[in-house]
Amino acid sequence: MSIDFKFPQITMELYETDIEPLQKFMANAKIEEFTEEYLILYNFAIDCKYSKCMQPELIRYLLPFYLKTMEQAVLYENKVAVDIYYEFNNAVFFNQKNFQYAVGEKYYQYIMEYYINQTIKKMEMQSVDLLDWVSLFNTTVAFCKNNIRRLFSEIFKGTLKVKYSFFQYLSVLLFKESDNLLAVNESREFWTSDIWDFDDGYFSRTFFWCDDIVEFFDKEINRERVEALFKEVKPFLYNILEPEVVDLFREEMNQSFVKGVFCARKAEYLKKIKCKEKKYTYWDTTF
């Protein structure tokens, strides 16, 4: 995404953002170099979260800087970037109608595509945390009901690593925490409850999925889909697990379907991810 050489005059009503530092940032900041000067975008994101009248040329000018910030937060875990990224997400989610109108449909779809691409990149990264990418996935899905369709398309035609990452995620719906044979590096209790995380802040969950998203997920993620994905990632599993463990996993997966564990956990997952209450969410049965 390119920006104009001349930055816009600020006419938007701002309460959290000091105009002079914002002007200085626009005059001097470089997209190629993330610095602490980007912090002015944190305050501007708060203004955008509550604004009923965003300045289109201003928000469009700053978009590339926000997307650069997202990259630094998601892929490199820069702490300054994470703070800004969370507030930008809040502006997009809670003021979606006004935000979408300000940036325009073309730019909004570009942003959605960027989030989808970053999600896939995160899924391809090597990580010790089984659910390390899930908060980004949940956030991307929450922004737009069509995003889950686009993400599923990219996942199911993606690399073996992407498919395996998604299968790990689905394993949380198959098994209780203590029964999950894929959780070889998890030492923290209740880590499976991270499946409800969003990139919306540090202390409480404020994002949620709408009914259309939940309905689509419920329809698409079924026994046939899980078993087909297992067949695809089986060669990957043999590279990281002993053959007898893979066979045991297959047996346990069948039992999850037969005994109704998968259906029950999927139903609980979807019920809680569409809940609008601001609280941290746990599984009813973890161990």
Side-chain angles (χ1 to χ4, degrees):
M1 181 185 295
S2 62
I3 59 175
D4 296 329
F5 179 75
K6 294 182 178 179
F7 58 83
Q9 181 180 357
I10 300 173
T11 60
M12 179 179 170
E13 198 167 22
L14 301 173
Y15 297 95
E16 296 291 331
T17 311
D18 291 329
I19 292 179
E20 187 175 337
L22 181 58
Q23 289 175 326
K24 182 179 178 181
F25 173 82
M26 290 192 294
N28 300 315
K30 298 178 181 178
I31 297 175
E32 300 80 12
E33 182 182 357
F34 183 85
T35 65
E36 289 196 2
E37 280 66 36
Y38 270 66
L39 267 174
I40 192 65
L41 298 180
Y42 176 88
N43 292 333
F44 183 71
I46 296 175
D47 278 315
C48 288
K49 178 180 176 180
Y50 298 105
S51 175
K52 294 181 179 179
C53 187
M54 299 182 199
Q55 185 181 347
E57 61 272 22
L58 179 58
I59 188 66
R60 291 174 190 168
Y61 184 93
L62 293 173
L63 273 178
F65 297 102
Y66 277 113
L67 298 183
K68 177 67 174 181
T69 300
M70 178 196 176
E71 178 188 61
Q72 291 292 312
V74 168
L75 300 183
Y76 306 108
E77 299 180 356
N78 182 295
K79 292 183 179 180
V80 174
V82 168
D83 290 339
I84 302 167
Y85 163 66
Y86 282 168
E87 280 307 317
F88 180 72
N89 290 344
N90 277 288
V92 176
F93 185 80
F94 288 110
N95 203 1
Q96 187 174 87
K97 184 177 179 180
N98 290 324
F99 182 87
Q100 191 168 352
Y101 178 80
V103 300
E105 184 64 24
K106 178 182 176 181
Y107 279 89
Y108 190 75
Q109 290 306 318
Y110 180 89
I111 296 167
M112 296 299 101
E113 195 64 34
Y114 193 87
Y115 271 74
I116 290 168
N117 291 337
Q118 293 298 309
T119 303
I120 298 299
K121 283 184 181 180
K122 187 75 172 180
M123 293 175 72
E124 287 188 302
M125 295 174 64
Q126 298 296 325
S127 172
V128 295
D129 188 347
L130 187 149
L131 299 179
D132 193 43
W133 54 270
V134 169
S135 62
L136 173 58
F137 173 85
N138 290 344
T139 301
T140 301
V141 170
F143 282 154
C144 176
K145 63 182 181 181
N146 290 326
N147 284 356
I148 192 169
R149 291 172 170 81
R150 294 155 71 182
L151 267 170
F152 278 5
S153 176
E154 293 298 319
I155 289 169
F156 296 133
K157 71 179 182 183
T159 65
L160 193 59
K161 176 60 175 69
V162 167
K163 291 176 181 178
Y164 175 67
S165 290
F166 194 67
F167 185 76
Q168 284 183 301
Y169 160 73
L170 295 180
S171 74
V172 177
L173 305 183
L174 287 165
F175 308 111
K176 296 182 297 182
E177 189 165 300
S178 55
D179 297 334
N180 196 329
L181 296 175
L182 298 184
V184 293
N185 294 314
E186 302 297 335
S187 59
R188 182 168 53 86
E189 291 185 350
F190 310 116
W191 62 267
T192 51
S193 293
D194 291 352
I195 200 169
W196 286 291
D197 281 358
F198 290 86
D199 287 341
D200 58 345
Y202 293 103
F203 305 111
S204 64
R205 205 195 80 190
T206 54
F207 287 9
F208 54 87
W209 284 2
C210 70
D211 289 338
D212 287 345
I213 295 170
V214 168
E215 182 180 343
F216 182 81
F217 185 100
D218 190 27
K219 179 182 177 182
E220 292 293 316
I221 304 303
N222 49 41
R223 178 173 182 171
E224 291 74 21
R225 174 77 77 181
V226 175
E227 289 182 330
L229 195 58
F230 174 78
K231 288 181 181 179
E232 290 192 73
V233 303
K234 204 171 181 180
F236 195 95
L237 288 171
Y238 280 125
N239 286 332
I240 60 176
L241 298 174
E242 295 296 328
E244 57 269 22
V245 177
V246 177
D247 293 339
L248 178 60
F249 184 93
R250 184 68 173 95
E251 293 177 15
E252 294 294 321
M253 187 171 73
N254 285 338
Q255 289 299 310
S256 179
F257 292 128
V258 171
K259 294 181 178 180
V261 174
F262 173 73
C263 287
R265 285 178 70 84
K266 184 176 76 165
E268 180 183 350
Y269 168 67
L270 293 177
K271 178 182 178 181
K272 291 179 177 179
I273 203 167
K274 71 174 184 177
C275 182
K276 300 179 182 179
E277 295 183 18
K278 297 181 179 181
K279 62 179 182 179
Y280 196 77
T281 308
Y282 295 94
W283 287 101
D284 291 342
T285 304
T286 304
F287 297 103

